[in-house]
Amino acid sequence: MNRQHLAELSAFISVARERSFTRAAAQLGVTPSALSHSMRALEERLGLRLLNRTTRSVTPTEAGERMLHALGPRFDEIEAEVAGLSALRDKPAGTVRISADEHSMATVLWPRLRPILREYPDVHVEIATDYTLTDIVAERFDAGVRFGEIVAKDMIAVPIGPDARMLAVASPTYFAARGRPRTLEELTGHDCINLRLPTYGGLYAWEFERDGRELRVRVEGQLTFSSLLPILEATLDGFGICYVPQSLVQAHLDSGALEVVLAEWSPPFPGYHLYYPSRRQPTPAFAAIVEGLRYRPER
């Protein structure tokens, strides 16, 4: 097989994974028209249609899906081995892609990344921030960041921050007007600020625990947001009670701008972890990121 044929197969994998000539062409550094022409040449050479094309999308045919599943992992292995050659350099180099939410990005990931990036100027990091439970393998991320208790068991999980805690908080102005809930049941009679989870489209049910007893409370109120920062702003403005990570509101608790209720129902739990597939072959750049992010409690 000549080099042109290998290039065509590699290009096909990009198109099949991205489901788009435009996005795949941007990855490969070619024009969409040139990529489309190359795919037609591949199909003609094989005598098979590999891609279904419409004005809106590109999807693999049955033959295309079979080729993608057969060749994709092998090309990934080649890329990993080539990237691993950077071990022969004096310093780690390469790109590491990480999926994280906004809160972990702001409170843990970025503060710990800064010194790593200064130490290794040839290491490049791409971070995609969202609140979905991203499939890091399917989306071809090197790693993800989530709370330890929601990381899949088949992943390697490395702690990058201290234990976390969720707290129900509101402003003194709100409590003065509406009173303070003394039980979980009383939360349903208050204005609470909801978080909509983009992965499933539903509202986050507030999770509480006390003496081994776990309860989920579904709350109601005027406001629903899809991220934490607007929830914090609305809470500071007195629009209701929110249930958020302690690290997000600690400064406001210290200043008295917010107050906690039902703290006895909010025990600590494993904080943010960097996770990645156990079968992943770590490159020197990835290994440097993992070791630099690893949380080491002060003794």
Side-chain angles (χ1 to χ4, degrees):
M1 182 178 292
N2 63 38
R3 294 180 180 178
Q4 179 61 34
H5 293 170
L6 286 174
E8 289 175 351
L9 292 174
S10 178
F12 162 75
I13 291 169
S14 294
V15 174
R17 283 174 168 169
E18 291 297 326
R19 302 296 203 265
S20 165
F21 280 112
T22 301
R23 291 195 296 271
Q27 280 187 355
L28 298 170
V30 299
T31 65
S33 60
L35 184 56
S36 179
H37 178 76
S38 177
M39 291 302 93
R40 291 195 183 279
L42 175 62
E43 290 175 324
E44 290 176 4
R45 180 166 59 82
L46 296 177
L48 291 169
R49 174 179 282 189
L50 301 175
L51 299 167
N52 290 317
R53 302 163 174 82
T54 69
T55 55
R56 290 191 173 185
S57 66
V58 179
T59 57
T61 63
E62 181 179 355
E65 286 284 1
R66 181 173 175 178
M67 180 177 287
L68 175 63
H69 289 300
L71 298 183
R74 290 171 171 80
F75 273 87
D76 289 342
E77 290 173 5
I78 293 171
E79 288 183 2
E81 290 298 329
V82 171
L85 293 176
S86 62
L88 301 177
R89 296 170 56 105
D90 293 335
K91 293 184 178 180
T95 299
V96 176
R97 300 183 69 236
I98 301 174
S99 169
D101 61 50
E102 289 178 326
H103 180 251
S104 65
M105 169 66 189
T107 60
V108 176
L109 189 55
W110 178 240
R112 299 182 70 84
L113 271 177
R114 286 197 296 259
I116 302 172
L117 296 176
R118 290 192 177 103
E119 182 177 358
Y120 301 110
D122 293 328
V123 172
H124 300 262
V125 177
E126 177 184 341
I127 301 173
T129 54
D130 59 54
Y131 283 90
T132 62
L133 296 177
T134 301
D135 184 336
I136 61 171
V137 175
E139 299 298 326
R140 306 192 74 192
F141 285 99
D142 295 292
V145 176
R146 293 293 182 268
F147 284 128
E149 60 185 15
I150 63 173
V151 174
K153 299 301 183 184
D154 61 344
M155 295 283 175
I156 294 176
V158 178
I160 62 173
D163 283 350
R165 192 183 183 200
M166 298 290 288
L167 293 177
V169 303
S171 68
T173 302
Y174 175 85
F175 286 138
R178 298 292 305 275
R180 302 168 67 91
R182 305 294 179 182
T183 65
L184 296 184
E185 290 75 15
E186 289 182 10
L187 279 174
T188 58
H190 280 263
D191 283 324
C192 296
I193 304 172
N194 268 304
L195 171 67
R196 185 172 297 282
L197 299 173
T199 302
Y200 303 108
L203 299 180
Y204 168 60
W206 294 6
E207 300 169 290
F208 296 94
E209 181 181 347
R210 185 179 185 184
D211 300 327
R213 182 187 178 197
E214 298 181 4
L215 289 175
R216 292 191 175 193
V217 179
R218 296 196 176 275
V219 297
E220 297 182 356
Q222 276 187 297
L223 293 169
T224 299
F225 296 99
S226 60
S227 62
L228 294 178
L229 293 182
I231 289 178
L232 174 60
E233 291 300 319
T235 306
L236 289 168
D237 288 338
F239 279 91
I241 303 172
C242 71
Y243 193 58
V244 294
Q246 181 174 353
S247 56
L248 181 68
V249 296
Q250 188 60 58
H252 301 292
L253 296 174
D254 294 341
S255 70
L258 295 176
E259 298 176 355
V260 180
V261 290
L262 304 168
E264 66 275 13
W265 282 94
S266 297
F269 57 89
Y272 283 117
H273 284 60
L274 184 82
Y275 66 96
Y276 54 95
S278 57
R279 64 180 181 274
R280 189 191 191 287
Q281 181 67 32
T283 64
F286 184 74
I289 292 292
V290 172
E291 285 308 305
L293 290 177
R294 189 185 298 274
Y295 177 68
R296 296 173 175 83
E298 296 182 2
R299 295 182 183 273

